Amino acid sequence: MTALKFNPLATYAALAAALLIATPLAQAQDKKAVTPAEMNYQAGGSPLSTEPMYQSSNPKAPAMTVAEFESARKIYFERCAGCHGVLRKGATGKPLTPDLTQSKGTDYLKVFIAYGSPAGMPNWMTSGEMDEKTVDLMARYIQHDAPVPPEFGMAQMKQTWKVIVPPDQRPTRKMNNFNIDNIFSTTLRDTGEVALIDGDTKQIINIVKTGYAVHITRTSASGRYLFVIGRDAKINMIDLWMPMPDNVAEVRIGLEARSVDTSKYKGKEGDFTDKLAIAGAYWPPQFVIMKGDTLEPMKIVSTRGMVVGTQEYHPEPRVASIVASHFKPEFVVNVKETGKTLMVDYSNLDALKVTEIGSAPFLHDGGWDSSKRYFMVAANNSNKIAAIDAKDGKLAGLTEVGKIPHPGRGANFIHPKFGPVWATGHLGDETISLIGTDPKKHKAYAFKEVMKLKGPGGGALFIKSHPKSTHLYSDTPLNPDPKLSQSVVVFDIKNLDKGYVTLPIAEWAGLTDDGAKRVVQPEFNKAGDEVWFAVWSAKNKQSALVIVDDKTLKLKAVIKDPRLITPTGHFNVHNTQHDVY
């Protein structure tokens, strides 16, 4: 087949418009245009690009050399799998299987890839991300059968499992002078590390080797151990009692992952604090329960199954967020594509009980309400927040909010009229939604959107407050406007109607180079009087952490160090341990 020439671009603009209008493949999931912030978020990379996979032979697919196929496969997992799925069956994006793509043909697909669509397909060529040759390569690649990554079972996990310091060789008491409760664990995304930082002195305690692009840090129920998980599904267990806090165990529970937590329940069924750990994988779609002191894998449970509502089978429903219940010996496991929350009773692993609660597809991240009874989880591409009742084991509410909610763990505070509320920002619009969370004293507002705040713009990832603060902070790191991505906004909880003030965090960092300087993830210290922000630039650019006085909203400190490479998320030990946000 002769390759379509893309010169000049204007010659094909009309063709692109006609093709995108004429086909269901390009129809938007809703009628609103997709923002650059959403595209930045959805086009995330996947560690699966380096995994060996099978290349099938499809006689109807256009010819590709093995080298071309491998190059395209790598690009697909780096650019496209986060939206269209590992198997190209569709996730937040449309399916791209050969039965759909071959009928369109290479020339059409090249235009589609080059120009994008209102449904969320980035304009890969006209944005400068791909050249003509790469566009042609990808148009041919998606007409082939999708290569299937290998499974990852118990035998593979055991091969990666390492106990660096056995439990009987660890300290029996704290062996350092650090104020452990106020330590911050900061993700150094591109170096595969976390920085442990003393929140009192603002000094780096240690740089700990981890998996790639650590997604979250979680604190054990006792506060002694940190559990971090990289996007490559590697979990590291860090002992904060050691003279120099460092790794004591590690394991991989799959090939790609996002979530980890530990058992917290102590009650009539027993004391399970620090006894178990759990992690969820994107691939293979499964969650794994491990011993809490060594990370030895004990139980693997697949999440493949039927989608809520349509009851259609989905082959790769990814495990998004996981939290530990405070009411029962249960883990709350949120499965992305099927829209199911699984209440996993861990009191007897030999007779595992799982209660399935359906809400809405594309479950992602979330956090507890202030009572820690209701888990508020974003069904992001469904534009909803589901409230999961951890005490009664049911869906307490399903609330329509703005476009692509992304709360992180959200923010809890008391509204003078609506009582306890939980807040989320959005990737796809400028709003911040407040949802009532008190069905006892404020029943009329419970699990309803009671107020919309107007933020600076889309591209928000995290929102945060603290019981001792009167402020609500929101970032917008994925907004295409540097003025927004390099700053944060702050609302006065006592006077939300007056709008927000803007803090120029990146400017306060005083970085001298031309890095992106995206400001991400407000995090309070234990006392609730400081807010920490990461100023995130590229791997070869200078980054920093900026600390703001919560009372005055003035700059308090800046942490610069050449070892702080691509800092993104950061987690205070005490606040993470006790779910304070």
Side-chain angles (χ1 to χ4, degrees), residues 432 453-455 470-473 489-493 496 499-500:
I432 293 171
L453 306 178
K454 183 178 180 181
T470 60
H471 293 129
L472 176 68
Y473 295 81
V489 298
V490 189
F491 293 85
D492 181 352
I493 290 170
L496 293 169
Y500 58 80

Side-chain angles (χ1 to χ4, degrees), residues 62-74:
M64 296 188 79
T65 67
V66 172
E68 284 180 326
F69 189 91
E70 284 303 301
S71 177
R73 180 177 72 88
K74 186 173 187 296

Side-chain angles (χ1 to χ4, degrees), residues 29 56 68 86 97 105 124 166 246 254 257 273 320 332 356 394 412 430 462 487 496 511 561 579:
Q29 295 172 24
S56 69
E68 284 180 326
V86 170
T97 47
W124 289 113
D246 211 335
T273 55
V332 184
E356 180 182 296
K394 65 180 183 181
N412 290 298
E430 62 187 4
F462 299 100
S487 62
L496 293 169
L511 302 177
D561 190 292
D579 295 308

Side-chain angles (χ1 to χ4, degrees), residues 20-46:
L20 294 177
I21 291 170
T23 173
L25 191 68
Q27 288 176 354
Q29 295 172 24
D30 57 43
K31 301 301 182 184
K32 298 178 182 177
V34 172
T35 65
E38 289 174 73
M39 292 185 182
N40 290 338
Y41 176 69
Q42 299 287 11
S46 166

Side-chain angles (χ1 to χ4, degrees), residues 272-465:
F272 294 94
T273 55
D274 289 18
K275 295 294 177 60
L276 297 171
I278 184 172
Y282 269 27
W283 187 271
Q286 62 192 27
F287 63 86
V288 182
I289 299 175
M290 300 155 280
K291 288 184 178 179
D293 59 350
T294 64
L295 295 181
E296 179 182 0
M298 302 171 68
K299 189 83 171 181
I300 305 172
V301 180
S302 174
T303 56
R304 292 179 170 103
M306 313 308 284
V307 177
V308 167
T310 64
Q311 297 294 293
E312 294 175 338
Y313 178 74
H314 201 292
E316 51 167 314
R318 299 172 286 184
V319 178
S321 51
I322 299 177
V323 294
S325 172
H326 298 268
F327 284 87
K328 299 176 184 178
E330 288 182 334
F331 292 120
V332 184
V333 179
N334 296 282
V335 185
K336 197 174 184 75
E337 280 73 23
T338 55
K340 296 176 181 178
T341 297
L342 308 178
M343 311 299 284
V344 181
D345 183 339
Y346 54 71
S347 60
N348 184 352
L349 297 188
D350 294 326
L352 194 72
K353 298 177 183 178
V354 179
T355 300
E356 180 182 296
I357 302 172
S359 55
F362 310 114
L363 296 179
H364 191 58
D365 56 352
W368 294 107
D369 79 304
S370 57
S371 72
K372 299 180 177 63
R373 174 173 174 173
Y374 303 101
F375 185 66
M376 311 293 290
V377 58
N380 54 17
N381 268 51
S382 297
N383 302 330
K384 292 178 173 65
I385 299 293
I388 306 299
D389 186 340
K391 183 177 180 180
D392 292 344
K394 65 180 183 181
L395 179 67
L398 192 60
T399 307
E400 190 85 21
V401 290
K403 191 175 182 184
I404 319 292
H406 193 288
R409 306 212 84 178
N412 290 298
F413 60 91
I414 305 298
H415 189 280
K417 177 180 178 181
F418 306 118
V421 297
W422 178 90
T424 180
H426 299 85
L427 273 160
D429 65 37
E430 62 187 4
T431 66
I432 293 171
S433 295
L434 307 188
I435 299 171
T437 59
D438 181 10
K440 290 185 177 180
K441 296 181 180 180
H442 299 82
K443 186 176 181 179
Y445 307 121
F447 313 118
K448 295 180 173 64
E449 185 184 58
V450 295
M451 189 174 186
K452 269 189 188 295
L453 306 178
K454 183 178 180 181
L461 287 182
F462 299 100
I463 192 167
K464 192 61 66 76
S465 190

